[in-house]
Amino acid sequence: MAAEDALDVYLNDHLAGAAAGVELAEKLAADADGTPMGRTLAGILADIRADQEVLDGLRVAFGFKQHTVKAAGSWVAEKFARMRFAAATRQGEELALLMQLEALHMGVSGKLSLWQCLQAARPVMAPLVGVTPDLDALIARAQDQLARLEAERLRVAEAAFAH
């Protein structure tokens, strides 16, 4: 597989994941609207959307087409995950919320990995794009998102298992 083909697949996979992450973050932020957690999640959602735009900008800069099948598959997977979270609600709303926060945490961890991999590949990418995004800032933002999610996740875990 040529380097550009590999990068095309990699970016489109992460774009599909970002779409699912936005959907989940939107749901979580809406469910917690008006609470401290809701404000935290709204901030994380804004960051995820901004990161998604950067990622899509890279796709466009490289001249890659969006893989609509992957995007649709990601959307379907997120809907199935919602059904799983709804089933967990029977065990308690805190458990369902914990599982959703963990899913979002895994997505942001994947995004951190993406930025780190692109940073490692910067010498290869630079001639192709000409300009690469500020990957140090994107890495720092992902780490900040993880820290904020972790605080909420651990607080919810305590409530979920206190019963």
Side-chain angles (χ1 to χ4, degrees):
M1 177 179 284
E4 284 189 39
D5 292 339
L7 187 58
D8 180 6
V9 168
Y10 190 68
L11 292 179
N12 269 288
D13 281 357
H14 277 279
L15 273 168
V22 165
E23 290 260 340
L24 180 55
E26 285 174 343
K27 180 201 178 303
L28 287 168
D31 288 352
D33 190 36
T35 68
M37 181 188 294
R39 288 185 287 281
T40 297
L41 292 169
I44 291 168
L45 172 58
D47 287 348
I48 291 170
R49 284 180 174 151
D51 294 338
Q52 184 181 31
E53 287 180 25
V54 170
L55 187 55
D56 195 48
L58 278 173
R59 179 194 59 79
V60 170
F62 279 109
F64 301 148
K65 293 180 179 172
Q66 185 174 16
H67 296 186
T68 53
V69 172
K70 285 183 183 184
S74 174
W75 182 85
V76 168
E78 194 275 334
K79 299 309 175 210
F80 277 116
R82 280 194 191 196
M83 290 177 8
R84 172 64 182 113
F85 299 141
T89 302
R90 289 191 290 264
Q91 303 299 320
E93 288 187 27
E94 292 90 359
L95 178 60
L97 177 57
L98 175 61
M99 292 172 66
Q100 291 173 81
L101 288 170
E102 286 191 345
L104 189 58
H105 191 280
M106 286 187 286
V108 173
S109 294
K111 177 176 56 184
L112 173 59
S113 177
L114 159 77
W115 300 138
Q116 290 167 332
C117 287
L118 292 180
Q119 187 175 51
R122 182 180 292 200
V124 175
M125 287 179 26
L128 298 173
V129 176
V131 177
T132 56
D134 184 350
L135 293 167
D136 290 332
L138 292 167
I139 288 167
R141 183 162 62 191
Q143 290 169 332
D144 177 65
Q145 291 167 36
L146 286 172
R148 289 182 285 158
L149 278 169
E150 184 69 0
E152 294 299 337
R153 188 180 71 86
L154 294 177
R155 186 184 60 71
V156 170
E158 184 178 356
F161 302 129
H163 298 102

